[in-house]
Amino acid sequence: AGASPRAFLFAGVCLLLLPGPAGSEGAAPIAITCFTRGLDIRKEKADVLCPGGCPLDEFSVYGNIVYASVSSICGAAVHRGVISNSGGPVRVYSLPGRENYSSVDANGIQSQMLSRWSASFTVTKGKSSTQEATGQAVSTANPPTGKRLKKTPEKKTGNKDCKADIAFLIDGSFNIGQRRFNLQKNFVGKVALMLGIGTEGPHVGLVQASEHPKIEFYLKNFTSAKDVLFAIKEVGFRGGNSNTGKALKHTAQKFFTVDAGVRKGIPKVVVVFIDGWPSDDIEEAGIVAREFGVNVFIVSVAKPIPEELGMVQDVTFVDKCSADCLLSRLTCNIQDFPQAVCRNNGFFSYHMPNWFGTTKYVKPLVQKLCTHEQMMCSKTCYNSVNIAFLIDGSSSVGDSNFRLMLEFVSNIAKTFEISDIGAKIAAVQFTYDQRTEFSFTDYSTKEDVLAVIRNIRYMSGGTATGDAISFTVRNVFGLIRESPNKNFLVIVTDGQSYDDVQGPAAAAHDAGITIFSVGVAWAPLDDLKDMASKPKESHAFFTREFTGLEPIVSDVIRGICRDFLESQQ
């Protein structure tokens, strides 16, 4: 005899399971809806009946031939060509989970990639039956009460006022244990539900920290809260040491990529859950993450027990990892760039006493994660720009004034956070000829960059600024076409160019390079304006004496930060 129907309430959606041994030979196929998933069929083999007229663009299908169990059964059947969109009988076979599910466009449906899922299924053509389909339709789209489900656009678009790309980094180590791990997943699910996930709202993914980090699902895998809740529920406990630092580095480097679903101009946030204390260096990992433009948000749940204190490398790590920028490192006034820096004010840390009774902590955490202005602070003008300096080495400059030019360049360069994954600096000296003093990829530390600037040798000669701009665009910026940083060119010259500057400058602008022109002594104002980006008045500067370059330093830095912020909007 078949078991009685069982109802499971999950995220406000009622799932009706099959009422009997649906896969038995001769049994009538079970009527399902367009959106019934493989995971709703708790049988090794089942015959189902798909309805006709399902909207192809609303199917969620992951994989090809073998599909992740979160996929729509009818969507998978149409995708594989087992049935057409007019519906029909389908036989479903349950299969083990896989590490990867491919993305294939077939029969009007574009399936999606998925990194890992705990269960799979495949479909074949089902046997037609003259018997009436048995049982109620297995549905994940409508409640069983017969009441009309109220649909709102927000369920698809999400909360437009909370745009963020968020990775939840959960603790899956033996330190937390299976019971607290499940409570942690439950809390993360509540946060995900309240965020308002949708195509135009927040996107979330999940990473598990243990002995080795594991990306459970990416930003692009799910764009609805319901899908995310199912995905979180399916995540298994891994065990091992709590190598949270290792997982944080992995997340910064591998999770937040365009291929994985990162959106341009949207804050990147990793919410790190720490139960007890990590067994590796999380402070260093936090620095790496922020240099990748990722906002590090620490949620600590319990203080370390005495046995864990031996693993603690720095008891102040929460404050250090959460503080994004230190004001002492910035030369600009914080009032000028409210979104470019963060204060160490506790915003990026959050504490809960334990995993029990956490519902009251959900809303305050969500409110922090949806504070867009605060979350823009990690990717700043100080760590996300490429700046090339085009330095006039003509004979009218003279050696002593040339040294003042190099001091001007150094004072701008030293403001920025130069590293392999941060800001990058290059320099070209020009007369009639051009000489690349160093490229963006030659030096990755501030000390090395400042040292090589000090040692630049004065060339002496004529002035061909237009050729120098073209040379720099082609030979300096051309080498870093794939860089995510915003490109700037700062030109410092003391006289009139013998060639055209307007054409080469326009080509540089078209290539996405913002130009600041700085003129000294006999440099014509018309040339400076022709070279500068718009608005001209904030990108062109002039001083009568070389000693007047010093006050222009802060103007150029402020202009770079302003332009960078505008490009992120």
Side-chain angles (χ1 to χ4, degrees):
S4 300
R6 294 171 294 169
F8 284 73
L9 186 64
F10 184 73
V13 180
C14 197
L15 310 181
L16 297 182
L17 302 182
L18 296 179
S24 58
E25 296 294 336
I30 306 300
I32 63 174
T33 74
C34 302
F35 305 107
T36 302
R37 306 159 192 266
L39 57 81
D40 301 323
I41 308 297
R42 307 293 178 87
K43 301 289 181 181
E44 291 186 5
K45 180 174 67 174
D47 286 315
V48 299
L49 184 63
C50 286
C54 294
L56 296 182
D57 58 344
E58 293 187 18
F59 278 134
S60 292
V61 179
Y62 303 90
N64 180 45
I65 301 176
V66 174
Y67 302 93
S69 63
V70 74
S71 303
S72 158
I73 294 173
C74 298
V78 174
H79 182 265
R80 195 178 179 192
V82 170
I83 60 172
S84 68
N85 199 37
S86 59
V90 175
R91 177 162 287 184
V92 185
Y93 295 89
S94 296
L95 298 171
R98 288 193 168 192
E99 285 297 318
N100 291 288
Y101 296 87
S102 59
S103 172
V104 175
D105 188 353
N107 299 310
I109 296 177
Q110 174 67 61
S111 70
Q112 301 178 56
M113 293 178 62
L114 193 60
S115 59
R116 184 175 76 87
W117 200 256
S118 59
S120 310
F121 69 90
T122 191
V123 289
T124 63
K125 201 163 191 63
K127 292 185 177 181
S128 299
S129 174
T130 56
Q131 293 176 297
E132 185 179 353
T134 63
Q136 289 178 279
V138 181
S139 171
T140 59
N142 298 289
T145 60
K147 293 181 180 179
R148 187 174 181 180
L149 181 63
K150 184 179 179 181
K151 292 187 177 181
T152 58
E154 287 72 26
K155 291 197 174 183
K156 291 182 180 180
T157 60
N159 182 2
K160 296 180 182 180
D161 296 326
C162 181
K163 289 189 176 182
D165 288 340
I166 303 171
F168 291 111
L169 178 52
I170 62 174
D171 186 349
S173 68
F174 288 135
N175 179 51
I176 191 172
Q178 180 74 62
R179 185 187 182 207
R180 284 186 291 169
F181 179 76
N182 289 335
L183 290 170
Q184 178 185 212
K185 288 201 302 177
N186 185 51
F187 177 75
V188 172
K190 291 177 181 177
V191 173
L193 188 62
M194 185 171 283
L195 278 170
I197 296 166
T199 55
E200 297 182 40
H203 291 184
V204 305
L206 190 72
V207 183
Q208 185 174 173
S210 56
E211 192 72 33
H212 302 288
K214 174 64 179 178
I215 296 176
E216 301 291 352
F217 57 90
Y218 290 94
L219 295 165
K220 69 176 183 180
N221 291 142
F222 310 109
T223 54
S224 75
K226 186 170 64 175
D227 289 341
V228 168
L229 288 171
F230 274 117
I232 292 172
K233 182 182 178 183
E234 291 289 315
V235 171
F237 177 63
R238 295 176 63 83
N241 286 329
S242 53
N243 291 330
T244 308
K246 182 179 180 180
L248 180 53
K249 282 185 181 178
H250 184 77
T251 304
Q253 295 166 343
K254 304 295 183 183
F255 180 90
F256 290 102
T257 65
V258 174
D259 288 342
V262 163
R263 296 169 290 174
K264 183 179 179 180
I266 302 297
K268 294 181 287 189
V269 184
V270 56
V271 183
V272 185
F273 289 91
I274 298 175
D275 185 322
W277 231 254
S279 52
D280 62 349
D281 190 349
I282 192 171
E283 181 186 350
E284 178 191 350
I287 293 171
V288 170
R290 291 193 303 275
E291 288 184 336
F292 269 89
V294 178
N295 298 273
V296 183
F297 201 108
I298 305 290
V299 178
S300 56
V301 183
K303 294 181 179 180
I305 60 176
E307 290 81 2
E308 293 171 330
L309 285 173
M311 298 186 295
V312 178
Q313 301 195 13
D314 186 350
V315 294
T316 63
F317 83 91
V318 170
D319 288 335
K320 288 185 177 180
C321 286
S322 302
D324 216 37
C325 313
L326 298 178
L327 294 181
S328 59
R329 298 168 67 184
L330 308 178
T331 62
C332 306
N333 190 318
I334 192 166
Q335 280 77 24
D336 294 332
F337 312 113
Q339 294 180 354
V341 298
C342 313
R343 305 168 182 82
N344 182 9
N345 61 358
F347 179 84
F348 285 85
S349 59
Y350 194 70
H351 181 74
M352 298 187 300
N354 53 58
W355 288 114
F356 301 97
T358 56
T359 301
K360 63 183 177 182
Y361 297 104
V362 172
K363 187 175 180 179
L365 178 57
V366 168
Q367 287 173 336
K368 284 196 172 193
L369 296 178
C370 291
T371 306
H372 186 268
E373 307 79 44
Q374 294 274 23
M375 290 299 181
M376 287 300 289
C377 61
S378 194
K379 188 176 179 63
T380 73
C381 59
Y382 300 100
N383 62 20
S384 303
V385 294
N386 301 318
I387 307 172
F389 293 93
L390 190 52
I391 308 167
D392 189 345
S394 62
S395 55
S396 59
V397 174
D399 190 68
S400 60
N401 288 333
F402 186 73
R403 294 296 123 193
L404 291 174
M405 279 186 170
L406 296 184
E407 186 177 337
F408 170 78
V409 170
S410 293
N411 287 337
I412 294 175
K414 71 182 181 183
T415 304
F416 294 87
E417 299 176 24
I418 302 166
S419 71
D420 281 333
I421 55 176
K424 299 186 184 302
I425 306 294
V428 174
Q429 186 181 173
F430 72 97
T431 57
Y432 283 138
D433 298 317
Q434 306 85 30
R435 183 172 74 199
T436 302
E437 302 295 351
F438 59 97
S439 295
F440 288 121
T441 56
D442 289 342
Y443 303 100
S444 58
T445 69
K446 186 178 299 186
E447 293 74 18
D448 288 344
V449 167
L450 296 179
V452 73
I453 291 173
R454 284 194 300 270
N455 292 322
I456 291 176
R457 293 177 292 104
Y458 175 46
M459 289 173 64
S460 187
T463 308
T465 314
D467 281 349
I469 294 172
S470 298
F471 174 89
T472 305
V473 171
R474 183 174 62 254
N475 296 291
V476 177
F477 287 101
L479 299 177
I480 55 161
R481 288 189 180 93
E482 302 304 316
S483 172
N485 290 359
K486 182 168 175 57
N487 294 323
F488 293 90
L489 175 62
V490 179
I491 303 171
V492 192
T493 181
D494 85 321
Q496 184 167 12
S497 176
Y498 290 108
D499 62 359
D500 172 61
V501 297
Q502 190 170 14
H509 299 156
D510 291 342
I513 301 168
T514 301
I515 296 180
F516 288 87
S517 58
V518 180
V520 189
W522 306 109
L525 189 58
D526 286 345
D527 277 9
L528 298 178
K529 288 183 176 179
D530 284 344
M531 293 186 291
S533 293
K534 295 179 181 179
K536 304 291 185 180
E537 57 273 15
S538 59
H539 289 85
F541 302 94
F542 177 80
T543 176
R544 180 60 61 188
E545 304 293 336
F546 280 88
T547 53
L549 286 171
E550 183 180 354
I552 298 177
V553 169
S554 59
D555 292 329
V556 173
I557 294 170
R558 186 174 290 108
I560 290 173
C561 286
R562 178 198 61 238
D563 291 346
F564 174 83
L565 285 175
E566 289 177 357
S567 73
Q568 301 300 299
Q569 300 305 310

